[in-house]
Amino acid sequence: MKIPLIFNFFVKSNNSKFRKSFFVPLVCIFIGSFVISMTFSIMSGIQYDIVNKIKIFKYPNQIRNIDIKNLQVDENYNFGSENLCLIKSISGNKVVKINSFSNIKSFEDKLVKNDFVETANITKSSIPYILIGDDLAKYLNIDVGDTVNICSILDINIVTGAMKNIDMLVGNIFNFNFMNYDSDYIVSNFNITNKIFNNSHINLYLDDNLNDEYKFESNQLHKTNFYLENKELLDAMEIEKTFYMVLGFFIILVSGFMIYTNSVLVFLEKKSQLSILLTMGLKKEYILLLMIFVNLFLSLIFAFLGISLTYLVIHLNDNYFILNYIFLNMPFDVLPMNKSIYLVIITIIIVAFVIIISTLLPYLQYEKNDLNKYIKEILK
């Protein structure tokens, strides 16, 4: 019977009503937990989706500037080149980047597997073809099966002004709604397009880590990966995620200061009642532990409510796409969101740590100011 009595003793004021001073810090814990979990969910989801898209389109690892005259590349690997070209159709033309792969079918299958293109409607086994972005296809007013002309703009005949060119079929259209891939990139077969680009150096594209076979001594080689190629973008996203999560932890820290003030007020307001309880045989450590339990119990409830709200938003977004109405013009069909039990545990530990310290401070620091000496007189 003593525990419920003590619980009500700390939660309620002398007029038997819920102590209003609890309300603001508990709301801060709710908001802080929601900000932390929501920020992590959205930013981690976006990061994962963007990194996955980059790995698909640009490959996780690359070795650039391989001289094919001096080094034989294993045909089992996908190699190729990147060039600037002019793509022309009946309706218009545009300068774009062309990524050429020795095994374009493997690259196309990867796009199909990740739902960035549909299975082609035409047979392309013996026909030179390209893959083109959805936005670029609309700009040039072309569709699967149409013919376009690819020109090497860096190889112009000085006398005639003519450019090396080749006619190619539009084999498939990819919908890669990220950065400018849909509008400024086309993909082709290296063995076909190299007839007009004449690349003496190629790039090696690897889905796994670089292995010993390609640890060359030549300083002309450039080894890179998806992170180095997009370092500014990925670092900026990490900084933004960290900033908002720190903001959430700061809100929880502010609630800790409020809990500290509330604990001092409870000791002062309940001075006479505490004296009676001590006379009845309750130890001061027991009273302190009960106050920690009360503050911790209420704080963790509101922390779980904040985290639960995030999980509710994730559920509603997955099924009803509610965040699409808030974040307009996203490069995603549905805003990606991640769930993390690890983050939930870390958030709960931080909330618990802040609340325990905030409750202990009025007791542990009673010698530092006159206000807390009243607490010393009650609990000694």
Side-chain angles (χ1 to χ4, degrees), residues 126-143:
S126 59
I127 304 175
Y129 70 95
I130 63 170
L131 310 178
I132 188 171
D134 181 61
D135 291 341
L136 183 58
K138 292 177 181 177
Y139 176 80
L140 298 176
N141 193 27
I142 56 179
D143 203 346

Side-chain angles (χ1 to χ4, degrees), residues 78-81 83 85 97-105 107 128-132 150 168 186-194 197:
N78 209 352
F79 59 88
S81 63
N83 298 279
C85 73
K97 295 179 180 179
I98 179 170
N99 283 13
S100 301
F101 297 102
S102 58
N103 188 353
I104 187 175
K105 187 64 172 61
F107 181 80
Y129 70 95
I130 63 170
L131 310 178
I132 188 171
I150 307 298
M168 301 189 74
I186 63 175
V187 180
S188 68
N189 187 299
F190 175 79
N191 296 322
I192 300 298
T193 55
N194 201 44
F197 293 114

Side-chain angles (χ1 to χ4, degrees), residues 58 78 87 94-95 106 110 141 170 227 233 263 267-268 273 288 328 330 335 337 348:
K58 304 293 285 187
N78 209 352
I87 180 171
K94 185 177 182 180
V95 176
S106 173
K110 187 162 61 169
N141 193 27
V170 177
Y227 175 78
L233 172 64
S263 300
F267 279 124
L268 294 177
Q273 293 93 324
L288 183 62
L328 304 176
M330 300 184 301
L335 184 67
M337 301 180 71
I348 295 303

Side-chain angles (χ1 to χ4, degrees), residues 36 39 85 114:
I36 293 170
T39 298
C85 73
N114 289 274

Side-chain angles (χ1 to χ4, degrees), residues 111-307:
L111 294 183
V112 172
K113 181 180 179 181
N114 289 274
D115 298 323
F116 293 125
V117 297
E118 296 180 358
T119 304
N121 297 321
I122 61 174
T123 303
K124 301 170 298 203
S125 57
S126 59
I127 304 175
Y129 70 95
I130 63 170
L131 310 178
I132 188 171
D134 181 61
D135 291 341
L136 183 58
K138 292 177 181 177
Y139 176 80
L140 298 176
N141 193 27
I142 56 179
D143 203 346
V144 174
D146 292 341
T147 301
V148 294
N149 185 257
I150 307 298
C151 305
S152 175
I153 61 174
L154 301 180
D155 190 12
I156 304 176
N157 188 300
I158 300 177
V159 178
T160 64
M163 295 180 288
K164 289 185 177 181
N165 64 90
I166 184 173
D167 288 333
M168 301 189 74
L169 202 66
V170 177
N172 217 330
I173 297 176
F174 57 83
N175 185 6
F176 208 84
N177 191 20
F178 173 66
M179 297 179 72
N180 59 343
Y181 290 151
D182 267 6
S183 59
D184 291 347
Y185 282 84
I186 63 175
V187 180
S188 68
N189 187 299
F190 175 79
N191 296 322
I192 300 298
T193 55
N194 201 44
K195 296 177 181 178
I196 61 174
F197 293 114
N198 295 322
N199 292 287
S200 59
H201 291 75
I202 63 171
N203 303 325
L204 184 64
Y205 303 102
L206 303 170
D207 280 316
D208 51 5
N209 294 325
L210 306 179
N211 52 46
D212 294 336
E213 181 180 354
Y214 291 102
K215 289 183 178 179
F216 309 108
E217 296 180 358
S218 173
N219 294 326
Q220 299 299 318
L221 293 172
H222 175 55
K223 302 175 184 179
T224 185
N225 56 43
F226 74 94
Y227 175 78
L228 295 176
E229 292 285 308
N230 301 272
K231 188 176 185 301
E232 292 81 5
L233 172 64
L234 298 178
D235 285 352
M237 294 180 63
E238 189 65 31
I239 291 173
E240 183 178 4
K241 181 177 73 173
T242 302
F243 172 79
Y244 285 115
M245 291 183 67
V246 168
L247 177 62
F249 286 122
F250 177 76
I251 295 174
I252 292 176
L253 185 62
V254 170
S255 72
F257 285 109
M258 295 180 181
I259 293 289
Y260 167 82
T261 303
N262 185 71
S263 300
V264 173
L265 292 176
V266 168
F267 279 124
L268 294 177
E269 182 181 327
K270 302 285 187 176
K271 182 165 57 174
S272 59
Q273 293 93 324
L274 286 171
S275 299
I276 296 173
L277 291 173
L278 290 172
T279 303
M280 293 172 60
L282 278 178
K283 295 182 179 181
K284 59 182 181 181
E285 292 83 2
Y286 186 62
I287 295 176
L288 183 62
L289 288 175
L290 283 173
M291 191 168 186
I292 292 175
F293 170 75
V294 170
N295 290 341
L296 194 59
F297 179 77
L298 292 174
S299 299
L300 292 181
I301 285 178
F302 277 77
F304 274 115
L305 288 175
I307 295 171

